[in-house]
Amino acid sequence: MGNSWMQNSAALLGAYARHNDGVPEAERQRLLTRALTAHLPAGGARIADVGGG
């Protein structure tokens, strides 16, 4: 059994890019980046995305 996320990565990436193509989505990404930058330690960190929406 293979990794279905990697097997379908091109389709998933395309769907994500289409979903996030526009001004509201760009603003959401900007706000998310600002929040993460303010709360994460300098030099990088591992993040576990558990979904939620």
Side-chain angles (χ1 to χ4, degrees):
M1 179 179 206
N3 183 335
S4 64
W5 286 99
M6 293 306 296
Q7 292 171 351
N8 298 308
S9 62
L12 292 170
L13 180 59
Y16 180 81
R18 285 188 301 278
H19 176 75
N20 287 301
D21 184 27
V23 173
E25 291 76 16
E27 181 65 12
R28 181 176 63 84
Q29 291 294 331
R30 187 183 69 77
L31 292 172
L32 177 62
T33 299
R34 185 170 68 182
L36 289 173
T37 301
H39 291 93
L40 291 176
R46 291 184 182 215
I47 299 173
D49 181 357
V50 295

